[in-house]
Amino acid sequence: MVLIPYILSAVIIGNFILTIIVLSRGIKDRINEIFGLMSFSVVLWSTGILGFYFINLPDYLSSHWIIITHSSAILIAVIFFYFSLNFPSQLIKNKYLYYAYTIPFFFILYYLFFTNKIIGEVINSTYEINPGYIFYSFFIVAYFFGGYISLFLQHKKSKEWIPKIQVRYVLAGSILASFPATITDLIFPYLGIFKYTWLGPVFTLVLILSIAMAISRYRLFNIRVIATELLTFAIWIFVLVRLLLADNIQERLINGGLLLILIIFGILLVRSVLKEVRSREEIEKLAKELEKANVRLKELDQAKSEFVTIASHQLRAPLTAIKGYASMILEGTFGQAPEKIKMPLDRIFQSSNRLVTLINDFLNLSRIERGKMEYTFQKFDLKAELVEIVDEFKASLIERRKSLDLSFSAEKEKDQDYTIMADQEKIHQVISNLIDNSIKYTKQGFVKVSLYKDTARDKIMVKIQDSGMGMDKDTLSRIFEKFTRAGDKVFQVHTEGLGLGLFVAKEIMKIHDGNMWAESEGVNKGSIFYIEFPVKFLTPEEKQKIEEEQREREQNIEGFVKKI
């Protein structure tokens, strides 16, 4: 019996701290209010039992301890049932039905405080049990049993995993706490055994433990905040004990002032930790939502790319037919065409040719984004390729009757080798794209294509310089991005482009371990485009083979070292 007061005091302090912790989560939150009120009811129950057994008062005053004990016990049962109807969601929507179950509670309170029908006279450490005690016990058991059923329904109703686990822990803890408490505090007193009633509040520690499990494992409350609050409360209690045990007024004033300061700073500390935790939880929530959105965007982007690929393939076939038949009519394959329809046919041919180019750009963009661009690497003479490309554009300039000086030059050193390892078709596309751009954006003047070696960096360089529109700094910084074009004036000169050609060209050069960039002194001062090829280039297959050989050597060395 010596340890019983200390055990009950620990239960009271523990439940009181739990009450403050729960209410600090947000006093306007219904669940916090209910749970805090239930914890405080346990404090009242424990205080009543502690006072009845260990605070000596006359028998007529001791009856007040018994009334507090029994009224707080039924209050615990009522609040537990109310809690089960609201955790984690509200089960009953009808507000009249919702509060109907509280009516018996008020009747029982009346009989406890104003009659002797439940509890009779107090004699030393025992009290008289009257016939109304059976109905009192029945309502407590009924409230708890109704709470178990409600929690079971809550578990069945919950769709998410975490609320289900939280309900399981609360349900298990409440059953393990209420069943033995019912035996020691309801059944035993009815049989005349009163010496074990102090165990009832102790069994509530099982419920506290179940909540702690939910805290630490399933984040019913945040463990960081709990730890901060427990430390703060421990400091407050320590200083309060020093204040109560002080020998003189001076020590009491010092400890009282220290306690006041610690309470203020403790509250500020707990609030700051709460704010930080809530901010972090909000950030985590937003991060998860952003992750889901990114996954969805990737799915949409994949669907878009697939749609572009399918649509482009479907469009290219009829356009190729239109372009081919227009070309054959112009060339006289079906007989000499009248002069009147040659010009419209030429426009059909040129327009279909531009559409085919645009569709090819879309297809290449889609392949690049999906990682499906295929390359066929082989050795070829870059100089011969450039001569062929420039000759094609010279013929095109004559057909379009555009007076523009298009020239090609290369270093004239003896035995200069311009052989590269690359996808010839793709490199043809890259260089053609740049020369075509220079021609389109140069009304008059020149377009110069030159080829040389940068021996210091072991690079082969292609330089395409024109006297055309030029670019400002902002355009230069964005020229190789998707759907970017060289300023508003471009639309007045060339309206058909979509700003994909340079992006596709740069991506192709990345695969070849090359580079591409542009320079310009400003608007209307011309532009220079550089294409850089490595003299020694390894294909992806060759790189993979070298990496595999390197890994194999490392594994052999590692195996040799282990044997040693």
Side-chain angles (χ1 to χ4, degrees), residues 223-283:
I223 191 67
R224 225 178 127 189
V225 181
I226 299 296
T228 305
E229 289 171 331
L230 288 176
L231 178 62
T232 304
F233 295 147
I235 295 171
W236 288 354
I237 293 169
F238 175 75
V239 178
L240 178 62
V241 171
R242 284 178 57 89
L243 174 63
L244 295 175
L245 297 178
D247 295 329
N248 52 63
I249 189 67
Q250 185 178 358
E251 288 185 9
R252 288 178 182 175
L253 288 173
I254 292 172
N255 287 321
L258 180 61
L259 179 60
L260 181 62
I261 293 170
L262 288 172
I263 288 173
I264 294 171
F265 279 98
I267 292 171
L268 293 175
L269 174 64
V270 171
R271 284 185 177 180
S272 65
V273 173
L274 270 172
K275 186 178 180 180
E276 181 187 347
V277 168
R278 285 168 183 164
S279 299
R280 186 166 295 180
E281 287 176 351
E282 188 66 26
I283 290 170

Side-chain angles (χ1 to χ4, degrees), residues 495-508:
T495 60
E496 298 88 1
L498 291 173
L500 288 176
L502 292 180
F503 170 79
V504 171
K506 193 170 182 74
E507 292 299 314
I508 290 173

